[in-house]
Coordinates of all heavy atoms in Angstrom, one line a residue:
M15 N 0.8 -1.2 0.0 CA 0.0 0.0 0.0 C 0.9 1.2 0.0 O 1.9 1.3 0.6 CB -0.9 0.0 1.2 CG -1.8 1.3 1.2 SD -3.2 1.2 2.4 CE -2.4 1.2 4.0
D16 N 0.4 2.3 -0.7 CA 1.2 3.5 -0.8 C 1.1 4.2 0.6 O 0.1 4.5 1.1 CB 0.5 4.4 -1.9 CG 1.3 5.7 -2.2 OD1 2.2 6.0 -1.4 OD2 1.0 6.3 -3.2
Q17 N 2.3 4.6 1.1 CA 2.4 5.2 2.4 C 1.9 6.7 2.4 O 1.7 7.3 3.4 CB 3.8 5.1 2.9 CG 4.3 3.7 3.2 CD 3.4 3.0 4.2 OE1 3.0 3.6 5.2 NE2 3.2 1.7 4.0
N18 N 1.8 7.3 1.2 CA 1.4 8.7 1.1 C -0.1 8.9 1.1 O -0.6 10.1 1.0 CB 2.0 9.3 -0.2 CG 3.5 9.3 -0.1 OD1 4.1 9.5 0.9 ND2 4.1 9.1 -1.3
H19 N -0.9 7.9 1.1 CA -2.4 8.0 1.0 C -3.0 7.2 2.2 O -2.6 6.1 2.5 CB -2.9 7.5 -0.3 CG -2.3 8.3 -1.5 ND1 -1.1 8.0 -2.1 CD2 -2.8 9.4 -2.1 CE1 -0.9 8.9 -3.0 NE2 -1.9 9.7 -3.1
A20 N -4.1 7.7 2.7 CA -4.9 7.0 3.7 C -5.5 5.8 3.1 O -5.8 5.8 1.9 CB -5.9 8.0 4.3
P21 N -5.8 4.8 3.9 CA -6.5 3.6 3.4 C -7.8 4.0 2.8 O -8.6 4.8 3.3 CB -6.6 2.7 4.6 CG -5.6 3.3 5.6 CD -5.4 4.7 5.3
G22 N -8.1 3.4 1.7 CA -9.4 3.7 1.0 C -9.5 4.9 0.2 O -10.5 5.2 -0.5
V23 N -8.4 5.7 0.2 CA -8.3 6.9 -0.7 C -7.6 6.6 -2.0 O -6.5 6.0 -2.0 CB -7.6 8.0 0.1 CG1 -7.5 9.3 -0.8 CG2 -8.4 8.4 1.4
I24 N -8.3 6.9 -3.0 CA -7.7 6.7 -4.3 C -7.1 8.0 -4.8 O -7.8 9.0 -4.9 CB -8.7 6.2 -5.4 CG1 -9.3 4.9 -4.8 CG2 -8.1 6.1 -6.7 CD1 -10.5 4.4 -5.6
P25 N -5.8 8.1 -5.1 CA -5.2 9.3 -5.6 C -5.8 9.8 -6.9 O -6.1 8.9 -7.8 CB -3.7 9.0 -5.8 CG -3.6 7.5 -5.6 CD -4.8 7.0 -5.1
F26 N -6.0 11.0 -7.1 CA -6.6 11.6 -8.3 C -5.7 12.8 -8.7 O -5.4 13.7 -7.9 CB -8.0 12.1 -8.0 CG -8.7 12.8 -9.1 CD1 -9.2 12.1 -10.2 CD2 -8.7 14.2 -9.2 CE1 -9.8 12.7 -11.2 CE2 -9.3 14.9 -10.2 CZ -9.9 14.1 -11.3
T27 N -5.3 12.8 -10.0 CA -4.5 13.9 -10.5 C -5.2 14.4 -11.8 O -5.8 13.6 -12.5 CB -3.1 13.5 -10.8 OG1 -3.1 12.4 -11.7 CG2 -2.4 13.0 -9.5
I28 N -5.0 15.6 -12.1 CA -5.5 16.2 -13.3 C -4.4 17.1 -13.9 O -3.8 17.9 -13.1 CB -6.9 16.9 -13.1 CG1 -7.4 17.3 -14.5 CG2 -6.7 18.0 -12.2 CD1 -8.9 17.8 -14.4
D29 N -4.2 17.1 -15.2 CA -3.3 18.0 -15.8 C -4.0 19.3 -16.1 O -4.7 19.4 -17.1 CB -2.8 17.3 -17.1 CG -1.7 18.2 -17.8 OD1 -1.5 19.3 -17.4 OD2 -1.1 17.7 -18.8
L30 N -3.8 20.3 -15.3 CA -4.5 21.6 -15.5 C -4.0 22.3 -16.7 O -4.7 23.1 -17.3 CB -4.3 22.5 -14.2 CG -5.0 21.9 -12.9 CD1 -4.7 22.8 -11.8 CD2 -6.5 21.8 -13.2
T31 N -2.7 22.1 -17.1 CA -2.2 22.8 -18.3 C -3.0 22.3 -19.5 O -3.5 23.0 -20.4 CB -0.7 22.5 -18.5 OG1 0.0 23.0 -17.3 CG2 -0.2 23.2 -19.7
F32 N -3.2 21.0 -19.6 CA -3.9 20.4 -20.7 C -5.4 20.9 -20.7 O -6.0 21.2 -21.7 CB -3.9 18.9 -20.6 CG -4.8 18.2 -21.6 CD1 -4.4 18.1 -23.0 CD2 -6.0 17.7 -21.3 CE1 -5.3 17.5 -23.9 CE2 -6.9 17.1 -22.2 CZ -6.5 17.0 -23.5
E33 N -6.0 20.9 -19.5 CA -7.4 21.3 -19.4 C -7.6 22.8 -19.7 O -8.6 23.1 -20.4 CB -7.9 21.0 -18.0 CG -8.1 19.6 -17.7 CD -9.1 18.9 -18.6 OE1 -10.1 19.4 -19.0 OE2 -8.8 17.7 -19.0
E34 N -6.6 23.6 -19.4 CA -6.7 25.0 -19.8 C -6.6 25.2 -21.3 O -7.3 26.0 -21.9 CB -5.6 25.8 -19.0 CG -5.6 27.3 -19.4 CD -6.9 28.1 -19.0 OE1 -7.8 27.5 -18.3 OE2 -7.0 29.2 -19.5
A35 N -5.7 24.5 -21.9 CA -5.5 24.5 -23.3 C -6.8 24.0 -24.0 O -7.3 24.6 -25.0 CB -4.3 23.7 -23.8
R36 N -7.4 23.0 -23.5 CA -8.7 22.5 -24.1 C -9.8 23.5 -23.9 O -10.5 23.8 -24.8 CB -9.1 21.2 -23.4 CG -10.3 20.5 -24.0 CD -10.9 19.4 -23.1 NE -11.2 19.9 -21.7 CZ -12.3 20.6 -21.5 NH1 -13.1 21.0 -22.4 NH2 -12.6 21.0 -20.3
R37 N -9.8 24.1 -22.7 CA -10.9 25.1 -22.5 C -10.7 26.3 -23.4 O -11.7 26.8 -24.0 CB -10.8 25.6 -21.0 CG -11.9 26.6 -20.7 CD -11.6 27.4 -19.4 NE -10.5 28.3 -19.5 CZ -10.5 29.5 -20.1 NH1 -11.6 29.9 -20.5 NH2 -9.4 30.2 -20.1
R38 N -9.5 26.8 -23.6 CA -9.3 27.9 -24.5 C -9.6 27.5 -26.0 O -10.2 28.3 -26.7 CB -7.8 28.4 -24.4 CG -7.5 29.1 -23.2 CD -6.1 29.5 -23.1 NE -5.8 30.2 -21.8 CZ -4.8 31.0 -21.6 NH1 -3.9 31.2 -22.6 NH2 -4.6 31.5 -20.5
A39 N -9.3 26.3 -26.4 CA -9.6 25.9 -27.7 C -11.1 25.9 -27.9 O -11.7 26.2 -29.0 CB -9.0 24.5 -28.0
E40 N -11.9 25.4 -26.9 CA -13.3 25.4 -27.0 C -13.9 26.8 -27.1 O -14.9 27.1 -27.8 CB -13.9 24.7 -25.8 CG -13.6 23.2 -25.8 CD -14.3 22.5 -27.0 OE1 -15.4 22.9 -27.4 OE2 -13.7 21.5 -27.4
V41 N -13.3 27.7 -26.3 CA -13.8 29.1 -26.4 C -13.6 29.7 -27.8 O -14.5 30.3 -28.3 CB -13.1 30.0 -25.3 CG1 -13.3 31.5 -25.5 CG2 -13.5 29.6 -23.9
V42 N -12.4 29.5 -28.3 CA -12.1 30.0 -29.7 C -13.0 29.4 -30.7 O -13.6 30.1 -31.6 CB -10.6 29.9 -30.0 CG1 -10.4 30.2 -31.5 CG2 -9.8 30.7 -29.1
A43 N -13.3 28.1 -30.6 CA -14.2 27.4 -31.5 C -15.6 28.0 -31.4 O -16.3 28.1 -32.4 CB -14.2 25.9 -31.2
A44 N -16.0 28.3 -30.1 CA -17.4 28.8 -29.9 C -17.5 30.2 -30.5 O -18.6 30.6 -30.9 CB -17.7 28.8 -28.4
L45 N -16.4 30.9 -30.5 CA -16.5 32.3 -31.1 C -16.7 32.3 -32.6 O -17.3 33.2 -33.2 CB -15.2 33.0 -30.8 CG -15.0 33.4 -29.4 CD1 -13.5 33.9 -29.2 CD2 -16.0 34.5 -28.9
G46 N -16.3 31.2 -33.2 CA -16.6 31.0 -34.7 C -15.5 31.6 -35.5 O -14.7 32.4 -35.1
P47 N -15.6 31.3 -36.8 CA -14.5 31.7 -37.8 C -14.6 33.2 -38.1 O -13.7 33.8 -38.6 CB -14.8 30.9 -39.0 CG -16.2 30.6 -38.9 CD -16.5 30.4 -37.5
D48 N -15.7 33.9 -37.8 CA -15.9 35.3 -38.2 C -15.5 36.2 -37.1 O -15.5 37.4 -37.3 CB -17.4 35.6 -38.5 CG -17.8 34.8 -39.8 OD1 -17.0 34.6 -40.7 OD2 -19.0 34.4 -39.8
W49 N -15.1 35.7 -35.9 CA -14.6 36.5 -34.8 C -13.3 37.2 -35.2 O -12.4 36.6 -35.6 CB -14.5 35.7 -33.5 CG -14.1 36.5 -32.4 CD1 -14.8 37.5 -31.7 CD2 -12.8 36.5 -31.7 NE1 -14.1 38.0 -30.7 CE2 -12.9 37.4 -30.6 CE3 -11.7 35.7 -31.8 CZ2 -11.8 37.6 -29.7 CZ3 -10.6 35.9 -30.9 CH2 -10.7 36.9 -29.9
D50 N -13.3 38.5 -35.0 CA -12.1 39.3 -35.3 C -11.7 40.0 -34.0 O -12.4 41.0 -33.5 CB -12.5 40.4 -36.4 CG -11.3 41.3 -36.7 OD1 -10.2 41.1 -36.2 OD2 -11.5 42.1 -37.6
P51 N -10.6 39.6 -33.4 CA -10.2 40.1 -32.1 C -9.9 41.6 -32.2 O -10.1 42.4 -31.2 CB -9.0 39.3 -31.7 CG -8.5 38.6 -32.9 CD -9.7 38.5 -33.8
V52 N -9.3 42.1 -33.3 CA -9.0 43.5 -33.4 C -10.3 44.4 -33.4 O -10.4 45.4 -32.8 CB -8.2 43.8 -34.7 CG1 -7.9 45.3 -34.9 CG2 -6.8 43.0 -34.6
T53 N -11.3 43.9 -34.2 CA -12.6 44.6 -34.2 C -13.2 44.5 -32.8 O -13.8 45.5 -32.4 CB -13.5 44.0 -35.3 OG1 -12.9 44.1 -36.6 CG2 -14.8 44.7 -35.3
A54 N -13.2 43.4 -32.2 CA -13.8 43.3 -30.9 C -13.1 44.2 -29.9 O -13.8 44.9 -29.1 CB -13.6 41.8 -30.4
L55 N -11.8 44.4 -29.9 CA -11.1 45.3 -29.0 C -11.5 46.7 -29.4 O -11.7 47.5 -28.5 CB -9.6 45.1 -29.1 CG -8.8 46.0 -28.2 CD1 -9.1 45.8 -26.8 CD2 -7.3 45.8 -28.5
H56 N -11.6 47.1 -30.6 CA -12.0 48.4 -31.1 C -13.4 48.7 -30.6 O -13.6 49.8 -30.0 CB -11.9 48.5 -32.6 CG -12.4 49.8 -33.1 ND1 -11.8 51.0 -32.9 CD2 -13.6 50.1 -33.7 CE1 -12.5 52.0 -33.5 NE2 -13.6 51.5 -33.9
D57 N -14.3 47.8 -30.7 CA -15.7 48.0 -30.2 C -15.7 48.1 -28.7 O -16.5 48.9 -28.2 CB -16.6 46.8 -30.7 CG -16.8 46.8 -32.2 OD1 -16.4 47.8 -32.9 OD2 -17.2 45.8 -32.7
E58 N -14.9 47.4 -28.0 CA -14.9 47.5 -26.6 C -14.4 48.9 -26.1 O -14.9 49.5 -25.2 CB -14.0 46.4 -26.0 CG -14.0 46.4 -24.5 CD -13.1 45.2 -23.9 OE1 -13.1 44.2 -24.5 OE2 -12.5 45.4 -22.9
E59 N -13.3 49.4 -26.8 CA -12.8 50.7 -26.5 C -13.9 51.8 -26.8 O -14.0 52.7 -26.0 CB -11.5 51.0 -27.4 CG -10.4 50.1 -27.0 CD -9.7 50.5 -25.7 OE1 -9.8 51.6 -25.3 OE2 -9.0 49.6 -25.1
A60 N -14.6 51.6 -27.9 CA -15.6 52.6 -28.3 C -16.7 52.6 -27.2 O -17.3 53.6 -26.8 CB -16.2 52.3 -29.6
A61 N -17.1 51.4 -26.8 CA -18.2 51.3 -25.7 C -17.7 51.9 -24.4 O -18.5 52.6 -23.7 CB -18.5 49.8 -25.5
Y62 N -16.5 51.7 -24.1 CA -15.9 52.3 -22.8 C -15.9 53.8 -22.9 O -16.3 54.5 -22.0 CB -14.5 51.8 -22.6 CG -13.9 52.3 -21.3 CD1 -14.1 51.6 -20.1 CD2 -13.1 53.4 -21.2 CE1 -13.6 52.0 -18.9 CE2 -12.6 53.8 -20.1 CZ -12.8 53.2 -18.9 OH -12.3 53.6 -17.7
A63 N -15.5 54.3 -24.1 CA -15.5 55.8 -24.2 C -16.9 56.3 -24.2 O -17.1 57.4 -23.6 CB -14.8 56.1 -25.6
L64 N -17.9 55.7 -24.8 CA -19.2 56.1 -24.7 C -19.8 56.1 -23.3 O -20.6 57.0 -22.9 CB -20.1 55.2 -25.7 CG -21.5 55.6 -25.8 CD1 -21.7 57.0 -26.4 CD2 -22.2 54.6 -26.7
L65 N -19.4 55.1 -22.6 CA -19.9 54.9 -21.2 C -19.6 56.1 -20.3 O -20.5 56.5 -19.5 CB -19.3 53.6 -20.6 CG -19.7 53.3 -19.1 CD1 -21.2 53.0 -19.1 CD2 -18.9 52.1 -18.7
Y66 N -18.5 56.7 -20.5 CA -18.1 57.8 -19.6 C -18.1 59.1 -20.4 O -17.5 60.1 -20.0 CB -16.7 57.6 -19.0 CG -16.7 56.4 -18.1 CD1 -16.2 55.2 -18.4 CD2 -17.4 56.5 -16.9 CE1 -16.2 54.1 -17.5 CE2 -17.5 55.5 -16.0 CZ -16.9 54.2 -16.3 OH -17.0 53.2 -15.4
S67 N -18.8 59.2 -21.5 CA -18.9 60.5 -22.2 C -20.2 61.2 -21.7 O -21.1 60.6 -21.2 CB -19.0 60.2 -23.7 OG -20.2 59.6 -24.0
G68 N -20.2 62.5 -21.9 CA -21.3 63.3 -21.6 C -21.6 63.5 -20.1 O -22.7 63.7 -19.6
L69 N -20.5 63.3 -19.3 CA -20.7 63.5 -17.8 C -20.8 65.0 -17.5 O -20.1 65.8 -18.2 CB -19.4 62.9 -17.1 CG -19.2 61.4 -17.3 CD1 -17.9 61.1 -16.5 CD2 -20.3 60.6 -16.8
D70 N -21.6 65.3 -16.5 CA -21.6 66.7 -16.1 C -20.4 67.0 -15.3 O -19.6 66.1 -15.0 CB -22.9 67.1 -15.4 CG -23.1 66.3 -14.1 OD1 -22.1 66.0 -13.4 OD2 -24.3 66.1 -13.6
A71 N -20.2 68.2 -14.9 CA -18.9 68.6 -14.2 C -18.7 67.8 -12.9 O -17.6 67.4 -12.6 CB -18.9 70.1 -13.9
D72 N -19.8 67.7 -12.1 CA -19.7 66.9 -10.9 C -19.3 65.5 -11.1 O -18.5 64.9 -10.4 CB -20.9 67.1 -10.1 CG -20.8 66.5 -8.6 OD1 -19.8 66.8 -8.0 OD2 -21.7 65.8 -8.2
Q73 N -20.0 64.9 -12.1 CA -19.7 63.5 -12.4 C -18.3 63.3 -13.0 O -17.6 62.3 -12.6 CB -20.7 63.0 -13.5 CG -22.1 62.9 -13.0 CD -23.1 62.6 -14.1 OE1 -22.9 63.1 -15.3 NE2 -24.2 61.9 -13.9
Q74 N -17.8 64.3 -13.7 CA -16.5 64.2 -14.3 C -15.4 64.3 -13.2 O -14.5 63.6 -13.2 CB -16.2 65.3 -15.3 CG -14.9 65.2 -16.0 CD -14.8 64.0 -16.9 OE1 -15.7 63.7 -17.7 NE2 -13.7 63.2 -16.7
R75 N -15.7 65.2 -12.2 CA -14.8 65.3 -11.0 C -14.7 64.0 -10.3 O -13.7 63.5 -9.9 CB -15.2 66.4 -10.1 CG -14.7 67.8 -10.5 CD -14.9 68.8 -9.4 NE -16.3 69.0 -9.0 CZ -17.2 69.7 -9.7 NH1 -16.9 70.4 -10.8 NH2 -18.5 69.7 -9.2
T76 N -15.9 63.4 -10.1 CA -15.9 62.1 -9.3 C -15.2 61.0 -10.1 O -14.4 60.2 -9.6 CB -17.4 61.7 -9.1 OG1 -18.1 62.7 -8.3 CG2 -17.5 60.4 -8.4
Y77 N -15.4 61.0 -11.4 CA -14.8 60.0 -12.3 C -13.3 60.2 -12.2 O -12.5 59.2 -12.0 CB -15.3 60.1 -13.7 CG -14.5 59.3 -14.7 CD1 -14.8 57.9 -14.8 CD2 -13.5 59.8 -15.5 CE1 -14.1 57.1 -15.7 CE2 -12.8 59.0 -16.4 CZ -13.1 57.7 -16.5 OH -12.4 56.8 -17.3
D78 N -12.8 61.5 -12.4 CA -11.4 61.8 -12.3 C -10.8 61.4 -11.0 O -9.7 60.8 -10.9 CB -11.1 63.2 -12.6 CG -11.4 63.6 -14.0 OD1 -11.5 62.7 -14.9 OD2 -11.6 64.8 -14.3
M79 N -11.5 61.6 -9.9 CA -11.0 61.2 -8.6 C -10.9 59.7 -8.4 O -9.9 59.2 -7.9 CB -12.0 61.7 -7.5 CG -11.7 61.3 -6.1 SD -12.9 61.8 -4.9 CE -14.3 60.7 -5.4
L80 N -11.9 59.0 -9.0 CA -11.8 57.5 -8.9 C -10.7 56.9 -9.8 O -10.0 56.0 -9.4 CB -13.1 56.9 -9.3 CG -14.3 57.2 -8.3 CD1 -15.6 56.8 -8.9 CD2 -14.0 56.5 -7.0
V81 N -10.4 57.6 -10.9 CA -9.3 57.2 -11.8 C -8.0 57.4 -11.0 O -7.1 56.6 -11.0 CB -9.3 57.9 -13.1 CG1 -8.0 57.7 -13.9 CG2 -10.5 57.4 -14.0
A82 N -7.8 58.6 -10.4 CA -6.6 59.0 -9.7 C -6.4 58.1 -8.5 O -5.2 57.8 -8.2 CB -6.7 60.5 -9.2
A83 N -7.5 57.6 -7.9 CA -7.3 56.7 -6.7 C -7.1 55.3 -7.2 O -6.8 54.4 -6.3 CB -8.6 56.8 -5.9
G84 N -7.1 55.0 -8.5 CA -6.9 53.6 -9.0 C -8.1 52.7 -8.9 O -8.0 51.5 -9.1
V85 N -9.3 53.3 -8.6 CA -10.5 52.5 -8.5 C -11.0 52.2 -9.9 O -11.4 51.1 -10.2 CB -11.6 53.2 -7.7 CG1 -12.9 52.5 -7.7 CG2 -11.1 53.5 -6.3
F86 N -11.0 53.2 -10.8 CA -11.3 53.0 -12.2 C -10.0 53.1 -13.0 O -9.1 53.8 -12.7 CB -12.2 54.2 -12.7 CG -13.7 54.1 -12.3 CD1 -14.5 55.1 -12.6 CD2 -14.2 53.0 -11.6 CE1 -15.9 55.0 -12.3 CE2 -15.5 52.9 -11.2 CZ -16.3 54.0 -11.6
P87 N -10.0 52.3 -14.1 CA -8.8 52.5 -15.0 C -8.8 53.8 -15.7 O -9.9 54.4 -15.9 CB -9.0 51.3 -16.0 CG -10.5 51.0 -16.0 CD -11.0 51.4 -14.6
G88 N -7.7 54.3 -16.1 CA -7.6 55.5 -16.9 C -7.8 55.2 -18.3 O -8.2 54.1 -18.7
G89 N -7.5 56.1 -19.2 CA -7.7 56.0 -20.6 C -6.5 55.5 -21.4 O -6.6 55.4 -22.6
E90 N -5.4 55.1 -20.7 CA -4.3 54.7 -21.4 C -4.4 53.2 -22.0 O -5.3 52.5 -21.5 CB -3.0 54.7 -20.5 CG -3.1 53.8 -19.3 CD -3.9 54.4 -18.1 OE1 -4.3 55.5 -18.2 OE2 -4.1 53.6 -17.2
P91 N -3.7 52.9 -23.0 CA -3.8 51.5 -23.5 C -3.5 50.5 -22.4 O -2.6 50.7 -21.6 CB -2.7 51.5 -24.6 CG -2.5 52.9 -25.0 CD -2.7 53.7 -23.7
G92 N -4.2 49.4 -22.5 CA -3.9 48.3 -21.5 C -4.4 48.7 -20.1 O -3.9 48.1 -19.2
R93 N -5.3 49.6 -20.1 CA -5.8 50.1 -18.8 C -6.4 49.0 -17.9 O -7.0 48.1 -18.4 CB -6.8 51.2 -19.0 CG -8.0 50.8 -19.7 CD -9.0 52.0 -19.8 NE -10.2 51.5 -20.5 CZ -10.3 51.7 -21.8 NH1 -9.4 52.2 -22.5 NH2 -11.4 51.2 -22.4
A94 N -6.2 49.2 -16.7 CA -6.8 48.3 -15.7 C -6.8 49.1 -14.4 O -5.9 49.9 -14.1 CB -6.0 47.0 -15.5
A95 N -7.7 48.8 -13.5 CA -7.8 49.5 -12.2 C -6.6 49.1 -11.4 O -6.1 47.9 -11.5 CB -9.1 49.2 -11.5
A96 N -6.1 50.0 -10.6 CA -4.9 49.6 -9.7 C -5.3 48.8 -8.6 O -4.5 48.1 -8.0 CB -4.3 50.9 -9.3
H97 N -6.6 48.7 -8.2 CA -7.0 48.0 -7.0 C -8.1 47.0 -7.4 O -8.8 47.1 -8.2 CB -7.6 48.9 -5.9 CG -6.6 49.9 -5.5 ND1 -5.5 49.6 -4.7 CD2 -6.5 51.3 -5.8 CE1 -4.8 50.8 -4.5 NE2 -5.4 51.8 -5.1

């Protein structure tokens, strides 16, 4: 009997690297052949810009404060919130 396992326990292992590769392949397959990542990123950027457009002065100050505090991402490429 294997000394590293309790009696009656069957060791179980899974290759997470393989499973992650399989999951990613399934996601890409589900997106279909017409999915264009450059267009998707452009559309996401446009939606983000629209979301925070047209703010009144008080809303803009609040937004700027949250960006400065790292709560919201700024407008730079690859943006992500600091917290």
Side-chain angles (χ1 to χ4, degrees):
M15 179 166 67
D16 186 349
Q17 298 297 326
N18 296 324
H19 298 85
V23 174
I24 299 171
F26 175 80
T27 59
I28 186 167
D29 181 351
L30 295 177
T31 303
F32 173 79
E33 290 301 321
E34 179 62 11
R36 185 193 58 76
R37 183 195 68 80
R38 287 181 183 198
E40 291 296 329
V41 167
V42 171
L45 290 170
D48 297 326
W49 180 67
D50 180 0
V52 174
T53 299
L55 180 59
H56 174 73
D57 292 348
E58 185 177 325
E59 294 286 338
Y62 183 85
L64 183 60
L65 180 63
Y66 294 108
S67 67
L69 300 178
D70 64 30
D72 189 46
Q73 292 169 327
Q74 187 65 51
R75 276 191 303 278
T76 301
Y77 174 79
D78 292 341
M79 177 187 66
L80 292 170
V81 169
V85 175
F86 283 177
E90 64 277 353
R93 65 177 175 265
H97 301 287

